[in-house]
Amino acid sequence: MSHYAESPFLELVDTELEEWRENFVRIRLRLKPHHLNRAGVVHGGVLATLLDHAGGFSGAYCTVPGNRRYGMTLSLTCNFVSQSKTGSLIATGQVERSGNKIFFARTKVETEDGVLVATGSSVHRYRSGSEKPEGVPARDS
Amino acid sequence: MSHYAESPFLELVDTELEEWRENFVRIRLRLKPHHLNRAGVVHGGVLATLLDHAGGFSGAYCTVPGNRRYGMTLSLTCNFVSQSKTGSLIATGQVERSGNKIFFARTKVETEDGVLVATGSSVHRYRSGSEKPEGVPARDS
Amino acid sequence: MSHYAESPFLELVDTELEEWRENFVRIRLRLKPHHLNRAGVVHGGVLATLLDHAGGFSGAYCTVPGNRRYGMTLSLTCNFVSQSKTGSLIATGQVERSGNKIFFARTKVETEDGVLVATGSSVHRYRSGSEKPEGVPARDS
Amino acid sequence: MSHYAESPFLELVDTELEEWRENFVRIRLRLKPHHLNRAGVVHGGVLATLLDHAGGFSGAYCTVPGNRRYGMTLSLTCNFVSQSKTGSLIATGQVERSGNKIFFARTKVETEDGVLVATGSSVHRYRSGSEKPEGVPARDS
């Protein structure tokens, strides 16, 4: 899925959008040496990027092809529960509660074997026009 | 300063370590298009990376040249208070309280003009051997 | 269950320990007027107390009658997703990952009808002697 | 100051509002045995209550006597950096950034001697009508 080829930072990090539907998203990251920190394990910033991405996208699925829904993260908490250095990481995001303007998400990052690596919780706000599933035309179209 | 040329993910993001002393660190990021999200502003993952980096390094200053101190982030909370897209971001980290194994940091990201962009708080744990300012020999030396 | 008749603040708030086993706890709070804030809904401090209590106890179940396990909360994040004012609140805590000294918990507060009111994530550290399920003799026995 | 005699839970906990002005609040709690946990130190729920109260009130100062401004906490993170059991705790809250509907606060709890006990960061949303400093008539007047 190339839904977000337009997101430059996610391209740099090289995430892959695997499943996206209302209130849910699953993202994969194939770990490469440039994702590691000086201790040789995945950098916290990589995990935080996955959690932020999963949280934001969990509430931004759009039912109209070509349209977009934009959200801003207000607050993100990441807990780093174990370490990882190779293989794929799977990030999932689930909307826990959604209001008119605000939605709350729970997120996690696991290895392919199901070992929990990080958990997140986040609060997001829809930009004007993005509150409804139909969304708005993409920024540059 | 090239203290952490060895941190691959920070090289990818392209942060610059500007000042590092006991209990404090200041980091610069010159914003480029690949730091942005699909809405055209800095991606939350970039800000979270800066906050994690600033929090972790604030407690990891090492008094012995060539040695290192390693910490793991246990928990990181990021609040995203405004948006940014060009210029430099300045991240600072300050240790608020430090024990034998655990330290707490407060962090923030501002524009060069002093506009607050994000704030963070984080909890870190020293790896064995890194509790003292003298640190340990670097991993690959 | 009167396992914690000795916790003065929980007595003041008037929580009830309903189920406690390894890695899990369920707590009930029967809402009374003194749990409310000036807007007439449950005070955030009440919900935070439930989340902290549930997180801490989820990792503190002790297999030896009369013994105790003590943990300290290092960090607690609470998201307040809806409001409540009457009936019972049910808080549950689940250990997500546990190491030698540190454990991570996910918690939530719901109404009796299953409406999600608040979610939490937290990091705790065992006091010396409390790392093992057998725990230590209670403080005042 | 008896500005919030109407907040039942704060009466139960017995906090005292010492200073309240635009973007700032200071609150005192005189520790009593009923604020402690089963380990004999201040319960995390007491500290979380102080941090939530300080965060919420920092953005809710109202310039019209008799009027009120109501905010809801969306997210609250508490870091518990040291322990305390006697004397007074002083909680302060400072607005870090405020928008039309959302404000961000940084908070802390210290002993009277200035020892840091807990730090907090929080995100709050104004209820309709409370966005402006003039506020709205109190609920029951």
Side-chain angles (χ1 to χ4, degrees), chain A residues 22-38:
Chain A
E22 196 164 358
N23 294 330
F24 180 81
V25 69
R26 189 177 70 244
I27 298 147
R28 178 182 295 264
L29 179 70
R30 294 171 208 269
L31 287 175
K32 301 197 184 100
H34 63 242
H35 295 120
L36 306 185
N37 65 15
R38 59 190 189 128

Side-chain angles (χ1 to χ4, degrees), chain C residues 35-104:
Chain C
H35 295 121
L36 306 184
N37 64 16
R38 60 192 188 126
V41 295
V42 177
H43 195 284
V46 173
L47 298 172
T49 297
L50 287 170
L51 294 171
D52 182 50
H53 178 21
F57 269 46
S58 69
Y61 180 74
C62 184
T63 56
V64 175
N67 275 9
R68 296 283 183 280
R69 296 173 79 189
Y70 297 105
M72 294 172 289
T73 306
L74 297 175
S75 185
L76 167 70
T77 293
C78 311
N79 287 326
F80 303 102
V81 308
S82 66
Q83 300 185 329
S84 183
K85 58 175 75 171
T86 57
S88 278
L89 294 179
I90 311 296
T92 50
Q94 178 84 44
V95 173
E96 287 210 309
R97 179 107 182 165
S98 176
N100 281 338
K101 293 289 288 180
I102 302 285
F103 67 94
F104 295 87

Side-chain angles (χ1 to χ4, degrees), chain A residues 26-108:
Chain A
R26 189 177 70 244
I27 298 147
R28 178 182 295 264
L29 179 70
R30 294 171 208 269
L31 287 175
K32 301 197 184 100
H34 63 242
H35 295 120
L36 306 185
N37 65 15
R38 59 190 189 128
V41 296
V42 176
H43 195 285
V46 172
L47 297 172
T49 297
L50 287 170
L51 294 170
D52 182 49
H53 178 21
F57 269 47
S58 70
Y61 180 74
C62 183
T63 56
V64 175
N67 275 9
R68 296 284 181 279
R69 297 174 79 189
Y70 297 106
M72 294 172 289
T73 306
L74 297 175
S75 185
L76 166 70
T77 292
C78 311
N79 287 326
F80 303 102
V81 308
S82 66
Q83 300 184 330
S84 185
K85 56 175 75 170
T86 56
S88 277
L89 294 179
I90 311 296
T92 50
Q94 178 82 45
V95 173
E96 287 210 309
R97 179 107 181 165
S98 176
N100 281 339
K101 293 289 287 181
I102 302 284
F103 67 94
F104 295 87
R106 281 239 167 179
T107 52
K108 63 181 172 181

Side-chain angles (χ1 to χ4, degrees), chain B residues 77 80 96 104 106-107 119-120, chain D residues 77 80 96 104 106-107 119-120:
Chain B
T77 293
F80 303 102
E96 288 209 310
F104 296 87
R106 281 240 168 179
T107 53
T119 62
Chain D
T77 293
F80 303 102
E96 288 209 310
F104 296 87
R106 280 238 167 181
T107 53
T119 62

Side-chain angles (χ1 to χ4, degrees), chain D residues 7-100:
Chain D
S7 182
F9 185 64
L10 295 176
E11 273 195 39
L12 183 72
V13 174
D14 206 15
T15 58
E16 300 167 40
L17 191 56
E18 287 201 335
E19 186 182 350
W20 199 10
R21 49 183 164 80
E22 196 165 359
N23 294 330
F24 181 82
V25 68
R26 189 176 70 244
I27 298 147
R28 178 182 296 264
L29 179 70
R30 294 170 210 270
L31 288 175
K32 300 195 185 103
H34 63 242
H35 294 120
L36 305 185
N37 64 17
R38 58 191 189 127
V41 296
V42 176
H43 196 285
V46 172
L47 297 172
T49 297
L50 287 170
L51 293 170
D52 182 50
H53 178 21
F57 269 47
S58 69
Y61 180 74
C62 183
T63 56
V64 174
N67 274 9
R68 296 283 183 280
R69 297 174 79 189
Y70 297 106
M72 294 172 289
T73 306
L74 296 175
S75 185
L76 167 70
T77 293
C78 311
N79 286 326
F80 303 102
V81 307
S82 66
Q83 300 185 329
S84 184
K85 57 176 75 171
T86 57
S88 276
L89 294 179
I90 311 296
T92 50
Q94 178 84 44
V95 173
E96 288 209 310
R97 179 106 182 165
S98 176
N100 281 338

